[in-house]
Amino acid sequence: MRRKLDLDRPVEPAVLEECLSLALQAPTPGNVQAWRWLVVRDQGVKARLGAVNQPSVARALRPGGT
């Protein structure tokens, strides 16, 4: 059964740390593992980052990805 995501509730730090710990175990090409993580909790910053990245995402989702 799927759980409904509550996007308005903050993620507990322990849950976030566990997710990042598991993500670090994922393979990378050539085992480079050049991980960079940025955790943003401020809604205003999230909105600004979304606005900046939206054109790139829209281009990537177009047929042909260009």
Side-chain angles (χ1 to χ4, degrees), residues 39-61:
V39 177
V40 179
R41 295 187 179 273
D42 182 277
Q43 292 299 334
V45 173
K46 287 180 185 181
R48 290 192 301 273
L49 286 172
V52 167
N53 287 308
Q54 197 280 332
S56 297
V57 172
R59 277 193 307 275
L61 294 177

Side-chain angles (χ1 to χ4, degrees), residues 24-51:
L24 289 172
Q25 297 176 40
T28 58
N31 200 28
V32 174
Q33 299 180 346
W35 304 112
R36 300 290 183 267
W37 302 101
L38 177 64
V39 177
V40 179
R41 295 187 179 273
D42 182 277
Q43 292 299 334
V45 173
K46 287 180 185 181
R48 290 192 301 273
L49 286 172

Side-chain angles (χ1 to χ4, degrees), residues 13-34:
V15 172
L16 183 59
E17 287 176 21
E18 182 179 5
C19 289
L20 292 175
S21 174
L22 292 170
L24 289 172
Q25 297 176 40
T28 58
N31 200 28
V32 174
Q33 299 180 346

